[in-house]
Amino acid sequence: MNDPWKNARRPSARPPRATPLPPREQGGSPPPPGRGNDELRLYGWNAVQALFERRPQALRKLYLAESLIPRLQPMLKWCVANRVGYRVVEEGDLNKLAATTHHEGVVADVVRAPMLSLAEWLDTLPTSGPVLALWLDGVGNPHNFGAILRSAAHFGVAGLLLPPGATLALSGAAARVAEGGAEAVPLVRLPELPQAMSQLRAAGFGLAATLVDGGANLFAAALPERLVYVMGAEGEGMDRDLAQDCDLQVSIPGSGAVESLNVASATAVLLSHWYGRKG
């Protein structure tokens, strides 16, 4: 019986040959995204490349289009040296593996980065100087999540904080939209609300609730050096009780031509404003 990972386990000076995926049963669904809660199926050049640059040991399987062999030579050589299987496959197989056509010729099964506890994350931070984090209260759309991760990486956010009951987790779609940002920003699981707020304040953070309206003008507000922006859900906004428990409430002023920005766009504005003031 042929070994489907043969090319990956024997170094060769010749480029690997395309190997077809095993046939699926009639009416079957595409392969699942990973083999368990600890694995994730990534796709898209920047998402896979960022994973390889930061956590190559997390790579489990790699699928690629033949046209990407020259561009992916460092990754393929690493796979050969570390006995990680890869296959050169057809475009249609990549579409099935990623369950989308937006894979840019590369798909990878990887081990998820571990989610930190709040205490573990706080221990990683510098003891002084500006630090920014995002508390995501109800954000669920993977494309918004990916866009938030991309902005967070660009503006140097130290972590994305998720409430204890949140089901939000990194998906292949979110990682692709993040364009590599998912590897740059750690995810942090918060304890119950009173304890989370107490630990953050003890570490010198101020909490700013972000409201569609009714908050202080963001561009005129005095923001603390160590800041947590609390972001609400895409549709209903953030929980009002949580907003009142924060140290300040801010809103992004605008022309009024539209009701509000969506959560990903609002996050980019908030982070840009903080980044411009921190220096």
Side-chain angles (χ1 to χ4, degrees), residues 21 43 92 111 233-234:
L21 289 172
Y43 52 88
V111 177
E234 288 95 343

Side-chain angles (χ1 to χ4, degrees), residues 84-198:
V84 171
Y86 69 83
R87 292 188 197 176
V88 179
V89 298
E90 301 297 329
E91 182 80 8
D93 291 319
L94 289 169
N95 295 344
K96 293 171 186 175
L97 286 161
T100 178
T101 59
H102 301 296
H103 48 68
E104 300 173 317
V106 61
V107 177
D109 288 339
V110 306
V111 177
R112 290 181 181 274
M115 187 174 289
L116 303 177
S117 71
L118 180 57
E120 289 171 334
W121 176 71
L122 289 172
D123 284 343
T124 69
L125 301 180
T127 56
S128 61
V131 180
L132 179 63
L134 289 173
W135 178 324
L136 302 185
D137 176 45
V139 175
N141 181 289
H143 290 87
N144 280 339
F145 186 35
I148 288 171
L149 280 165
R150 184 174 184 176
S151 293
H154 181 75
F155 291 112
V157 170
L160 264 59
L161 316 182
L162 305 179
T167 58
L168 185 63
L170 185 66
S171 65
R176 184 191 68 81
V177 173
E179 296 285 0
E183 289 297 321
V185 185
L187 300 183
V188 181
R189 179 68 69 192
L190 293 171
E192 293 301 324
L193 190 146
Q195 182 183 350
M197 287 189 160
S198 177

Side-chain angles (χ1 to χ4, degrees), residues 209-226:
T210 58
L211 307 178
V212 171
D213 54 50
N217 183 329
L218 170 71
F219 304 120
L223 300 176
E225 189 177 47
R226 295 167 80 87

